[in-house]
C-alpha cells in the first residue's frame, strides 16, 4: 500500500492510498458506520478527530504504522485506532464494497458529519447570551461559544436583515466545539433594540391609551440627546462591528456574513483590513440603501429631508405605518420564510417566533423607518470588494443556489471580480444556507479556515489537492439528520472560472469556444 496524498485540517485529514486489493466486505459488519470504495485503485477516507484532541492530525499521521483490521488496511497510532472507536470515519461513497467510478459513471457521495445530537449524548458547545454597552443607551446583544478553545481561530457571524444572533445557533453549537465563535445582533435588530424611547413626547401623555399600554417609541417631536445623530444605517453597523472586534474579541477574526451581514462583513474588511483574517459570504446582498450618502454626495443628500434620523416627520410616519403593519403581520413573516427556505421541511418555528418577538418591541416601527430612509454606505459593495482585493483579504463564497432574492448570478459576479476566491454553490438551499443546510456550511467553513491557517498546505474542502483549486467540479454530499440521510449537491467553481459560461447556464444559452454567448443569426431563428 502506497500513500498518494494526505490533507490535514483542525478536525480532520484526508488520506488517499493506492492499493491493488479490494476492500473486505466483512468490514461493513464489523464497522457498520464505515463504507469503502475503490476509485481507480485509490481508497479515499476522511477521518474526523474529536474536539478534545488538540494536536495536529499530521502529527498523528507521521507516527502511524500500517496494520490490518478485519481485512482492512488502516492506520494505528500508538495503540489508538484511527478507524473506529475514538474516531468517526466518512468514506467517499456510502455503498459497500469496491466499485470503479469509471465503470459506472456515478459521482461518489461524500458522507459528512451531522450536527451534534444532544439527545444522544453528543457534545454541543454551550452558548452564552451577553450584552455589551457600546455607547450610552446603545446596548448590543451577542452570543458566544467555545471560549475555552483559547488557541483556536476566532469566528464572528453577522446575521441578515430582520433576524439576529439566534440565526447562527447551529454554527455556535457545532463550530464552537473547535473554534471560538461569536454571533452579533445589529443595532435595531434582534435583541439590540433601544432600551428607551429615542424621542421626547411633547405635551401631556395620550390618555386615550389604555392603562399599562406602552406608547409607540420613536415618533415623538424631539430626539433625545443620545439619539440626535442616531441613524440605523450601514455605516452605523460597520462602526458597531469595528468596535466589537476591538473591544470584545480583541484580535483579528474570520467574519461570516449572510445577506445584509455579508455586505457589512466586506465593508468592515475593506475599511479595517487589520481586523479581518478572512470573509465568508453566505448569499450576501450586493446593495443596501436608497438615499445618497451625505459624505460622498453632500449636495444631493440635502435634497432629502429625512435621512433616517430622529424625530421622524409625521408624513413619513403615516407613509411607513401601513408598510410596517403589512410586513410585521405573522402571515407575511410566514410567507417570507417560505420564500427564502428552499426545503420546506426545515423547521423554522424558532426563527418565526424570534422575528415576531422583535416586531413587538415598542421601537420596532420607528427603527424600521430609520433603516428604510437611511443613506447608502460610504463604500458600495463593489468598492468594498475592491478594497478587500487590494488588501489581500481571503474571501470564500458559499451560496444557496435556490435563493429567490440574491440569485446565484450575484455570487458569480463576485467570483468574476475575485477569481481566486473559492465558490461553493449548494442545492437545495435558499437565501439562508447556514440554517437550511448547516451541516454543509459548517463542513465548508471548517475546511476553508483550516486551509488558510495552514497557509495553503491543506487543500480546500472537497478538493483532492491544492492544485485542483483551479478546476470546476460537482460533488454529491450526504449527512444524517434525525436518523435519515439527506442528499445535497455542491458545485465548486475554481480559479479558471468563466463568468460568461456561468451566466449562460442560468439562461440556458449555448456557448462557443470563446466562452461568450453565441449570437444567433436571423436564419437560425
Amino acid at each position: 500500500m502506497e500513500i498518494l496524498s494526505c490533507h490535514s485540517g483542525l478536525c480532520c485529514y484526508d488520506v488517499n492510498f493506492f492499493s491493488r486489493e479490494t476492500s473486505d466486505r466483512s468490514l461493513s459488519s464489523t464497522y457498520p458506520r464505515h463504507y469503502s470504495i475503490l476509485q481507480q485503485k485509490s481508497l479515499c477516507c476522511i477521518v474526523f478527530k474529536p474536539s478534545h484532541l488538540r494536536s495536529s492530525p499530521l502529527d498523528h499521521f507521521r507516527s502511524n504504522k500500517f496494520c490490518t483490521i478485519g481485512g482492512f488496511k488502516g492506520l494505528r497510532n500508538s495503540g489508538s485506532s484511527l478507524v473506529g472507536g475514538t474516531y468517526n470515519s466518512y468514506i467517499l461513497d456510502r455503498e459497500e464494497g469496491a466499485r470503479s467510478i469509471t465503470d459506472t459513471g456515478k459521482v461518489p457521495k461524500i458522507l459528512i458529519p451531522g450536527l451534534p445530537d444532544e439527545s444522544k449524548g453528543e457534545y454541543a458547545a454551550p452558548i452564552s447570551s451577553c450584552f455589551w454597552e457600546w455607547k450610552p443607551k446603545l446596548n448590543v446583544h451577542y452570543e458566544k461559544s467555545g471560549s475555552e478553545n483559547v488557541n483556536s481561530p476566532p469566528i464572528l457571524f453577522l446575521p441578515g436583515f430582520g433576524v439576529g444572533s439566534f440565526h447562527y445557533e447551529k454554527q455556535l453549537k457545532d463550530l464552537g466545539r473547535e473554534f471560538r465563535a461569536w454571533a452579533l445582533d445589529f443595532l435595531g435588530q434582534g435583541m439590540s433594540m433601544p432600551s428607551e424611547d429615542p424621542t421626547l413626547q411633547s405635551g401631556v401623555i395620550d390618555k386615550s391609551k389604555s392603562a399599562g399600554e406602552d406608547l409607540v417609541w420613536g415618533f415623538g417631536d424631539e430626539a433625545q440627546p443620545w439619539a440626535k445623530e442616531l441613524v440605523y444605517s450601514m455605516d452605523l453597523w460597520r462602526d458597531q462591528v469595528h468596535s466589537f472586534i476591538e473591544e470584545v474579541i480583541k484580535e483579528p477574526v474570520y467574519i461570516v456574513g449572510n445577506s445584509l451581514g455579508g455586505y457589512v462583513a466586506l465593508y468592515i474588511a475593506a475599511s479595517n483590513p487589520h481586523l479581518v483574517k478572512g470573509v465568508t459570504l453566505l448569499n450576501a446582498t450586493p446593495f443596501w440603501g436608497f438615499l445618497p450618502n451625505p459624505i460622498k454626495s453632500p449636495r444631493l443628500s440635502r435634497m432629502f429631508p429625512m435621512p433616517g434620523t430622529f424625530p421622524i416627520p409625521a408624513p413619513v410616519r403615516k407613509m411607513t405605518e401601513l408598510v410596517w403593519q403589512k410586513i410585521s403581520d405573522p402571515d407575511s413573516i410566514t410567507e417570507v420564510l417560505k420564500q427564502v427556505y428552499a426545503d420546506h421541511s426545515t423547521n423554522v418555528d424558532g426563527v418565526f417566533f424570534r422575528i415576531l418577538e422583535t416586531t413587538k418591541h415598542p421601537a420596532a416601527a420607528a427603527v424600521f423607518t430609520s433603516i428604510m430612509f437611511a443613506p447608502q454606505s460610504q463604500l458600495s459593495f463593489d468598492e468594498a470588494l475592491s478594497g478587500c482585493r487590494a488588501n489581500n483579504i481571503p474571501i470564500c463564497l458559499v451560496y444557496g443556489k435556490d435563493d429567490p432574492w440574491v440569485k446565484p448570478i450575484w455570487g458569480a459576479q463576485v467570483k468574476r471580480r475575485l477569481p481566486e476566491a473559492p465558490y461553493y454553490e449548494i442545492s437545495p438551499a435558499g437565501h439562508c444556507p447556514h440554517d437550511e443546510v448547516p451541516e454543509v456550511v459548517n463542513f465548508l467553513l471548517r475546511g476553508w479556515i483550516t486551509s488558510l491557517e495552514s497557509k495553503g498546505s491543506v487543500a480546500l474542502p472537497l478538493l483532492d489537492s491544492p492544485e485542483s483549486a483551479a478546476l470546476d467540479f460537482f460533488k454529491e454530499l450526504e449527512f444524517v439528520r434525525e436518523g435519515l440521510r439527506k442528499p445535497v449537491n455542491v458545485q465548486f467553481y475554481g480559479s479558471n472560472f468563466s463568468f460568461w459560461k456561468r451566466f449562460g447556464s442560468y439562461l440556458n444559452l449555448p456557448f462557443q469556444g470563446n466562452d461568450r454567448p453565441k449570437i444567433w443569426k436571423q436564419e437560425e431563428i
Side-chain angles (χ1 to χ4, degrees):
M1 180 177 291
E2 177 186 353
I3 303 171
L4 294 180
S5 63
C6 176
H7 307 304
S8 169
L10 291 176
C11 61
C12 63
Y13 56 83
D14 183 349
V15 187
N16 299 329
F17 297 98
F18 178 83
S19 175
R20 298 189 181 278
E21 303 176 17
T22 59
S23 58
D24 192 341
R25 288 181 178 269
S26 64
L27 177 65
S28 60
S29 59
T30 307
Y31 300 96
R33 294 184 59 194
H34 298 71
Y35 303 90
S36 58
I37 180 171
L38 188 65
Q39 300 180 15
Q40 298 178 346
K41 299 182 179 180
S42 174
L43 176 65
C44 302
C45 66
I46 301 176
V47 184
F48 287 84
K49 187 181 68 172
S51 59
H52 67 273
L53 296 179
R54 300 298 178 194
S55 56
S56 167
L58 282 179
D59 294 336
H60 289 274
F61 181 78
R62 292 188 187 101
S63 61
N64 285 330
K65 297 181 179 179
F66 292 108
C67 63
T68 301
I69 306 176
F72 174 73
K73 293 199 172 183
L75 295 171
R76 178 166 292 167
N77 180 7
S78 302
S80 298
S81 173
L82 300 188
V83 181
T86 307
Y87 290 79
N88 296 322
S89 302
Y90 299 84
I91 309 302
L92 295 188
D93 195 285
R94 64 185 180 86
E95 295 188 1
E96 299 179 16
R99 180 175 296 180
S100 172
I101 298 301
T102 56
D103 294 339
T104 64
K106 178 184 176 182
V107 178
K109 289 185 173 66
I110 303 176
L111 182 62
I112 64 173
L115 299 178
D117 189 344
E118 295 177 271
S119 66
K120 296 181 179 179
E122 296 177 2
Y123 173 72
I127 300 175
S128 300
S129 179
C130 311
F131 282 91
W132 162 62
E133 186 180 26
W134 177 33
K135 296 179 179 181
K137 310 298 184 180
L138 295 179
N139 293 322
V140 174
H141 174 260
Y142 66 95
E143 296 181 342
K144 65 178 181 179
S145 67
S147 299
E148 69 280 3
N149 302 323
V150 292
N151 295 321
S152 64
I155 310 174
L156 174 61
F157 294 95
L158 302 181
F161 175 65
V163 290
S165 55
F166 63 85
H167 215 202
Y168 287 109
E169 178 184 3
K170 298 168 184 175
Q171 280 67 47
L172 295 180
K173 285 188 173 183
D174 184 12
L175 297 176
R177 298 183 296 175
E178 301 146 45
F179 304 99
R180 289 170 293 146
W182 289 262
L184 192 66
D185 288 4
F186 289 131
L187 283 169
Q189 301 182 52
M191 295 175 65
S192 294
M193 300 292 284
S195 57
E196 63 181 62
D197 194 336
T199 59
L200 297 171
Q201 301 284 345
S202 63
V204 182
I205 295 177
D206 188 354
K207 294 182 180 181
S208 64
K209 296 287 184 181
S210 60
E213 182 178 351
D214 289 332
L215 294 172
V216 176
W217 291 358
F219 292 115
D221 301 323
E222 182 183 352
Q224 295 269 23
W226 59 270
K228 287 186 180 296
E229 303 297 326
L230 178 61
V231 182
Y232 289 96
S233 66
M234 185 70 72
D235 290 339
L236 176 74
W237 298 324
R238 174 208 58 193
D239 294 343
Q240 173 192 351
V241 175
H242 178 188
S243 298
F244 185 82
I245 296 174
E246 285 192 331
E247 298 179 21
V248 179
I249 301 178
K250 300 181 179 180
E251 64 178 288
V253 297
Y254 291 99
I255 304 183
V256 181
N258 171 236
S259 192
L260 166 65
Y263 194 153
V264 178
L266 276 185
Y267 196 3
I268 191 69
S271 304
N272 301 273
H274 63 287
L275 297 178
V276 181
K277 302 182 72 174
V279 173
T280 298
L281 301 181
L282 304 173
N283 291 72
T285 181
F287 34 74
W288 191 263
F290 303 102
L291 302 184
N293 186 279
I295 296 179
K296 294 180 65 175
S297 307
R299 292 183 180 179
L300 188 59
S301 66
R302 284 195 291 268
M303 298 174 60
F304 298 89
M306 168 52 185
T309 54
F310 296 95
I312 297 171
V316 174
R317 172 182 176 179
K318 292 179 180 179
M319 181 175 61
T320 57
E321 277 181 341
L322 294 177
V323 178
W324 174 249
Q325 289 175 3
K326 176 62 178 177
I327 67 172
S328 62
D329 182 79
D331 291 339
S332 298
I333 297 173
T334 299
E335 184 59 32
V336 168
L337 292 176
K338 285 182 180 179
Q339 291 179 23
V340 299
Y341 282 78
D343 183 358
H344 292 169
S345 67
T346 304
N347 187 344
V348 295
D349 290 347
V351 176
F352 170 82
F353 286 112
R354 293 297 294 272
I355 295 175
L356 188 62
E357 180 183 2
T358 302
T359 66
K360 302 302 182 183
H361 192 279
V367 168
F368 170 76
T369 304
S370 176
I371 292 173
M372 290 299 100
F373 285 88
Q376 298 173 345
S377 59
Q378 294 181 37
L379 290 182
S380 69
F381 188 85
D382 285 344
E383 289 170 336
L385 277 178
S386 298
C388 290
R389 185 173 187 180
N391 289 287
N392 296 316
I393 302 294
I395 294 178
C396 179
L397 309 174
V398 180
Y399 279 60
K401 183 178 181 180
D402 310 299
D403 186 349
W405 294 353
V406 182
K407 294 183 179 293
I409 191 172
W410 293 108
Q413 288 183 351
V414 177
K415 176 66 175 177
R416 179 175 62 88
R417 296 283 305 277
L418 304 171
E420 300 303 320
Y423 176 23
Y424 297 90
E425 200 171 83
I426 308 171
S427 182
H431 188 61
C432 310
H434 62 287
D435 192 44
E436 198 167 0
V437 282
E439 297 87 351
V440 179
V441 172
N442 294 359
F443 176 80
L444 296 177
L445 284 174
R446 276 191 178 99
W448 182 65
I449 293 176
T450 298
S451 181
L452 289 180
E453 290 290 304
S454 72
K455 302 186 184 304
S457 62
V458 176
L460 291 167
L462 301 181
L463 270 64
D464 296 328
S465 66
E467 293 74 20
S468 59
L471 306 175
D472 298 350
F473 61 77
F474 173 84
K475 300 284 187 180
E476 292 185 8
L477 275 60
E478 281 191 343
F479 54 86
V480 176
R481 182 189 294 175
E482 297 178 349
L484 300 175
R485 290 184 180 272
K486 298 276 290 186
V488 176
N489 299 325
V490 176
Q491 177 71 55
F492 176 84
Y493 298 98
S495 56
N496 289 340
F497 174 84
S498 167
F499 173 78
W500 283 109
K501 184 177 292 184
R502 190 71 188 104
F503 178 75
S505 69
Y506 297 129
L507 303 180
N508 294 321
L509 291 176
F511 287 90
Q512 297 173 316
N514 60 1
D515 286 342
R516 293 186 177 273
K518 178 180 179 182
I519 307 300
W520 293 97
K521 298 179 181 179
Q522 183 65 36
E523 58 269 20
E524 293 179 311
I525 300 177

